[in-house]
mmCIF file of all heavy atoms in Angstrom:
data_model
loop_
_atom_site.group_PDB
_atom_site.id
_atom_site.type_symbol
_atom_site.label_atom_id
_atom_site.label_comp_id
_atom_site.label_asym_id
_atom_site.label_seq_id
_atom_site.Cartn_x
_atom_site.Cartn_y
_atom_site.Cartn_z
ATOM 1 N N ARG A 43 5.474 0.635 62.317
ATOM 2 C CA ARG A 43 4.494 1.105 61.339
ATOM 3 C C ARG A 43 3.313 1.777 62.024
ATOM 4 O O ARG A 43 2.857 2.848 61.606
ATOM 5 C CB ARG A 43 4.004 -0.077 60.495
ATOM 6 C CG ARG A 43 2.853 0.278 59.553
ATOM 7 C CD ARG A 43 2.439 -0.915 58.723
ATOM 8 N NE ARG A 43 1.968 -2.039 59.535
ATOM 9 C CZ ARG A 43 0.745 -2.079 60.088
ATOM 10 N NH1 ARG A 43 -0.109 -1.074 59.957
ATOM 11 N NH2 ARG A 43 0.391 -3.140 60.804
ATOM 12 N N GLU A 44 2.815 1.148 63.104
ATOM 13 C CA GLU A 44 1.678 1.720 63.827
ATOM 14 C C GLU A 44 2.054 3.024 64.517
ATOM 15 O O GLU A 44 1.241 3.953 64.596
ATOM 16 C CB GLU A 44 1.164 0.699 64.843
ATOM 17 C CG GLU A 44 0.553 -0.539 64.186
ATOM 18 C CD GLU A 44 0.167 -1.600 65.206
ATOM 19 O OE1 GLU A 44 0.555 -1.433 66.382
ATOM 20 O OE2 GLU A 44 -0.501 -2.583 64.816
ATOM 21 N N GLN A 45 3.301 3.127 65.031
ATOM 22 C CA GLN A 45 3.737 4.378 65.636
ATOM 23 C C GLN A 45 3.793 5.515 64.622
ATOM 24 O O GLN A 45 3.546 6.670 64.960
ATOM 25 C CB GLN A 45 5.113 4.191 66.306
ATOM 26 C CG GLN A 45 5.098 3.286 67.540
ATOM 27 C CD GLN A 45 6.492 3.018 68.080
ATOM 28 O OE1 GLN A 45 7.488 3.521 67.540
ATOM 29 N NE2 GLN A 45 6.564 2.213 69.155
ATOM 30 N N ASN A 46 4.151 5.156 63.388
ATOM 31 C CA ASN A 46 4.208 6.168 62.316
ATOM 32 C C ASN A 46 2.852 6.398 61.653
ATOM 33 O O ASN A 46 2.776 7.116 60.643
ATOM 34 C CB ASN A 46 5.228 5.757 61.247
ATOM 35 C CG ASN A 46 6.647 5.793 61.775
ATOM 36 O OD1 ASN A 46 6.981 6.578 62.662
ATOM 37 N ND2 ASN A 46 7.501 4.916 61.230
ATOM 38 N N LEU A 47 1.806 5.768 62.223
ATOM 39 C CA LEU A 47 0.450 5.929 61.698
ATOM 40 C C LEU A 47 0.353 5.532 60.227
ATOM 41 O O LEU A 47 -0.299 6.197 59.406
ATOM 42 C CB LEU A 47 -0.023 7.386 61.886
ATOM 43 C CG LEU A 47 -0.025 7.906 63.328
ATOM 44 C CD1 LEU A 47 -0.478 9.353 63.357
ATOM 45 C CD2 LEU A 47 -0.901 7.032 64.222
ATOM 46 N N LEU A 48 0.994 4.420 59.887
ATOM 47 C CA LEU A 48 0.961 3.904 58.522
ATOM 48 C C LEU A 48 0.111 2.644 58.504
ATOM 49 O O LEU A 48 0.132 1.850 59.452
ATOM 50 C CB LEU A 48 2.372 3.577 58.015
ATOM 51 C CG LEU A 48 3.333 4.757 57.891
ATOM 52 C CD1 LEU A 48 4.731 4.267 57.514
ATOM 53 C CD2 LEU A 48 2.824 5.753 56.838
ATOM 54 N N SER A 49 -0.644 2.478 57.430
ATOM 55 C CA SER A 49 -1.472 1.287 57.269
ATOM 56 C C SER A 49 -0.741 0.240 56.426
ATOM 57 O O SER A 49 0.311 0.526 55.806
ATOM 58 C CB SER A 49 -2.800 1.651 56.608
ATOM 59 O OG SER A 49 -2.568 2.113 55.287
ATOM 60 N N ILE A 50 -1.321 -0.961 56.425
ATOM 61 C CA ILE A 50 -0.766 -2.012 55.558
ATOM 62 C C ILE A 50 -0.799 -1.563 54.090
ATOM 63 O O ILE A 50 0.132 -1.823 53.324
ATOM 64 C CB ILE A 50 -1.559 -3.318 55.741
ATOM 65 C CG1 ILE A 50 -1.375 -3.872 57.164
ATOM 66 C CG2 ILE A 50 -1.122 -4.362 54.717
ATOM 67 C CD1 ILE A 50 0.009 -4.356 57.463
ATOM 68 N N GLY A 51 -1.862 -0.844 53.740
ATOM 69 C CA GLY A 51 -1.967 -0.370 52.362
ATOM 70 C C GLY A 51 -0.888 0.630 51.989
ATOM 71 O O GLY A 51 -0.372 0.624 50.868
ATOM 72 N N ASP A 52 -0.509 1.509 52.942
ATOM 73 C CA ASP A 52 0.562 2.474 52.672
ATOM 74 C C ASP A 52 1.874 1.762 52.399
ATOM 75 O O ASP A 52 2.611 2.095 51.467
ATOM 76 C CB ASP A 52 0.716 3.432 53.871
ATOM 77 C CG ASP A 52 -0.519 4.289 54.091
ATOM 78 O OD1 ASP A 52 -1.237 4.529 53.093
ATOM 79 O OD2 ASP A 52 -0.760 4.704 55.236
ATOM 80 N N VAL A 53 2.191 0.768 53.234
ATOM 81 C CA VAL A 53 3.437 0.014 53.036
ATOM 82 C C VAL A 53 3.376 -0.768 51.726
ATOM 83 O O VAL A 53 4.350 -0.841 50.976
ATOM 84 C CB VAL A 53 3.679 -0.926 54.225
ATOM 85 C CG1 VAL A 53 4.946 -1.748 54.014
ATOM 86 C CG2 VAL A 53 3.771 -0.135 55.515
ATOM 87 N N SER A 54 2.216 -1.378 51.434
ATOM 88 C CA SER A 54 2.077 -2.162 50.214
ATOM 89 C C SER A 54 2.291 -1.297 48.973
ATOM 90 O O SER A 54 2.964 -1.703 48.026
ATOM 91 C CB SER A 54 0.684 -2.804 50.170
ATOM 92 O OG SER A 54 0.458 -3.435 48.934
#
Side-chain angles (χ1 to χ4, degrees):
R43 173 178 61 78
E44 293 175 350
Q45 292 174 1
N46 292 330
L47 302 179
L48 296 174
S49 65
I50 294 292
D52 296 333
V53 178
S54 173

